[in-house]
Amino acid sequence: MTTPNRVPPAPRWRWWHAAAVGVAANAIGSLPAGYRGDTSYFDRLNTPPGSPPGWLFAPVWAFNNAATLWSNLRVANLAPDTPDRRKALAYEGISWALFASFSGLYFGLRSPVLGAAVTVASLGATSASVAATSRIDPKAAWGLAPRLAWLGYASYVAVASALTNRDEFFQWAPRHR
């Protein structure tokens, strides 16, 4: 007995849906008020050994976001009753909200402390997302791996920077010995 060839249903979520998420998060994150017109803020901070140059962030995040959107699209197109699908998408929603808030908090408020908090929270949300995604689509989980690695590294830089730089929002400055 043979089964007829079935054409899989067209995915509900298409590339332009993912692109809209990426554009929206980046637009919110790059509002002029978030940068206060000063893109050299990071370059003026005391950063720990091994910190990346400021120019590296844009291409790294462009790659991370493209890989993340590809992963999110795969998960979104799984059957709605797939175990952990909603959990993975919820963690990704949290990750996108944190991503969109970073520039306004870090650059706009001149707050290395809030920048570190968002970065470490992003690492936690991404770790949870990778765990949930890996149970339902290992390929999609690999799409999140570059972001996970970058956020591990960025958490080191962000926390060390928060401990060694003035925070204008909290009116806090590190004690120098």
Side-chain angles (χ1 to χ4, degrees):
M1 177 177 218
T2 62
T3 57
N5 289 338
R6 282 187 30 178
V7 175
R12 179 174 178 204
W13 302 103
R14 305 292 187 129
W15 69 267
W16 59 83
H17 295 113
V21 169
V23 167
N26 279 280
I28 291 166
S30 64
L31 291 173
Y35 290 110
R36 290 199 332 206
D38 183 2
T39 58
S40 65
Y41 176 67
F42 179 80
D43 293 332
R44 294 192 309 266
L45 295 174
N46 296 319
T47 55
S51 295
W55 62 263
L56 186 60
F57 288 88
V60 166
W61 276 109
F63 177 80
N64 284 341
N65 288 345
T68 295
L69 290 168
W70 172 82
S71 172
N72 293 170
L73 197 56
R74 285 182 62 94
V75 172
N77 280 314
L78 293 173
D81 61 346
T82 301
D84 288 329
R85 176 184 174 270
R86 288 176 59 119
K87 187 183 294 185
L89 292 173
Y91 287 130
E92 284 303 299
I94 292 166
S95 293
W96 281 110
L98 289 166
F99 173 81
S101 72
F102 179 85
S103 291
L105 297 173
Y106 185 72
F107 293 103
L109 298 178
R110 299 287 195 261
S111 181
V113 171
L114 290 175
V118 168
T119 303
V120 172
S122 296
L123 177 61
T126 299
S127 298
S129 181
V130 168
T133 302
S134 68
R135 291 189 289 271
I136 57 176
D137 187 342
K139 284 183 183 177
W142 278 108
L144 302 175
R147 188 177 90 212
L148 181 64
W150 178 260
L151 286 169
Y153 169 55
S155 291
Y156 151 72
V157 172
V159 170
S161 294
L163 294 173
T164 59
N165 287 283
R166 175 171 173 67
D167 189 296
E168 293 180 26
F169 179 73
F170 290 111
Q171 295 297 306
W172 176 85
R175 292 183 189 243
H176 294 286
R177 294 182 184 154

